[in-house]
């Protein structure tokens, strides 16, 4: 891997992926995105891993897609490269994915953070969709996920002016879960991951899938989907263990079975 660093395990049940193109502020070139896609797929299939943390460095989570790599492309080039299939695969990661964001999360970087399930931000984090300033518009979910997260008015402002949100604003607009001092953002993400890693991975996966479905369907269909996944948790040993542990007043030991 040239552009990402993977620590597996980072600690028990938790894997850490660091975007690693520091000089280019982690600009997301095609190779980096391919490495990220392949790594997430591998970790998704690793029974020992229950939660994945994705981070950059203090200065940048990612300053967007690599403008230098995109600059001379035609529409047909973009079509044939078909980056969407890479982004779609990343989006389909089944395990809980936490973004630990410090510094710039712009364009594709903001979209990548929003593709994760939760975002822990440092006080220095800046979120933006500045594509309009270089004559294009968001292409990896920015107009959709940002609008769902922060609402139409703020999304319009961000996408049409390219203005950034500070970490505090991102918290106010519910784009992120928590804002902490810069030296704490990875620690906080790990704390959150630890808490989730103690739960049944079967239940966590089914619950994530159900929440994601709520963005794609109407209420009746969403409730139906939730119900099926709820029943499915009763097919797991973890359900027996969780309920038995409660009755016996002890901590559950989940196996992900
Ligand atoms: N691409 C390539 N290089 C970048 C970059 C980027 N997005 N962002 C920064 N860099 C490089 C700079 O060129 C510079 O390299 P050198 O000149 O040293 O060689 C180095 O990183 C440091 O950047 P600066 O010198 O500019 O640092 P500053 O602190 O002065 O400014 C900045 C930081 C983040 C404000 C500035 O670098 C900036 O404005 N960067 C561009 C931000 C941006 O416009 N991002 C959106 C890009 S478009 C798609 C999926 C995704 C996308 C599209 C399609 N499909 C699935 C089809 C996404 C599109 C985008 O993200």
């Amino acid at each position: 891997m040239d552009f990402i660093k993977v620590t597996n395990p980072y600690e028990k049940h938790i894997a850490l992926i660091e975007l690693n193109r520091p000089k280019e502020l982690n600009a997301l070139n095609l190779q980096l995105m391919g490495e990220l896609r392949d790594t997430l797929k591998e970790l998704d299939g690793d029974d020992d891993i229950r939660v994945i943390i994705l981070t950059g460095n203090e200065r940048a989570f990612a300053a967007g897609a690599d403008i230098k790599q995109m600059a001379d492309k035609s529409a047909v080039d973009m079509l044939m490269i078909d980056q969407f299939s890479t982004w779609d695969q990343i989006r389909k990661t089944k395990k809980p994915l936490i973004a630990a964001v410090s510094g710039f999360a712009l364009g594709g970087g903001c979209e990548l953070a929003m593709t994760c399930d939760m975002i822990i931000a440092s006080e220095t984090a800046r979120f933006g969709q500045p594509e309009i300033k270089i004559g294009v518009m968001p292409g990896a979910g920015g107009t959709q996920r940002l609008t769902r997260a922060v609402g139409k008015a703020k999304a319009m402002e961000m996408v049409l002016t390219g203005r950034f949100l500070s970490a505090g604003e991102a918290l106010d607009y519910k784009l992120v879960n928590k804002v902490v001092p810069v030296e704490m953002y990875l620690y906080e993400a790990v704390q959150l991951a630890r808490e989730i890693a103690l739960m049944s991975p079967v239940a966590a996966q089914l619950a994530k899938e159900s929440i994601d479905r709520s963005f794609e369907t109407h209420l009746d269909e969403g409730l139906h989907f939730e119900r099926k996944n709820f029943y499915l948790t009763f097919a797991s040993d973890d359900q027996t263990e969780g309920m038995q542990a409660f009755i016996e007043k002890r901590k559950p030991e989940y196996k992900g079975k």
Side-chain angles (χ1 to χ4, degrees), residues 17-30:
I17 304 176
E18 292 164 88
L19 304 177
N20 190 25
R21 279 190 88 198
K23 278 200 216 114
E24 294 82 5
L25 306 185
N26 291 332
L28 306 168
N29 65 13
L30 295 175

Side-chain angles (χ1 to χ4, degrees), residues 57-59 102-103 121-124 180-186:
N57 54 55
E58 278 191 16
R59 188 166 174 222
S102 180
S122 91
E123 284 168 349
T124 63
V180 294
V182 65
E183 60 278 9
M184 298 285 285
Y185 74 98
L186 185 56

Side-chain angles (χ1 to χ4, degrees), residues 23-25 27 59 63-68 83-84 87 106-108 140:
K23 278 200 216 114
E24 294 82 5
L25 306 185
R59 188 166 174 222
D66 190 327
I67 299 170
K68 292 165 193 167
Q83 269 205 75
F84 290 111
W87 283 79
L106 305 177

Side-chain angles (χ1 to χ4, degrees), residues 17 31 38 44 50 59 65 72 86 88 101 106-107 120-121 124 138 147 160 171 173 202 212 219 223-224 235:
I17 304 176
Q31 186 183 334
D38 295 346
D44 229 12
R50 296 183 179 179
R59 188 166 174 222
D72 63 354
T86 296
D88 283 345
V101 175
L106 305 177
I120 300 294
T124 63
T147 308
L160 298 183
L171 186 64
Y173 286 107
V202 179
D212 280 342
L219 184 61
L223 289 171
H224 186 67

Side-chain angles (χ1 to χ4, degrees), residues 13 47 50 199-202 237-238 241 253-257:
H13 298 319
D47 286 346
R50 296 183 179 179
M199 307 301 163
S200 158
V202 179
D237 293 347
D238 284 353
E241 167 64 8
E253 283 281 339
Y254 293 119
K255 300 270 188 309
K257 302 266 183 232

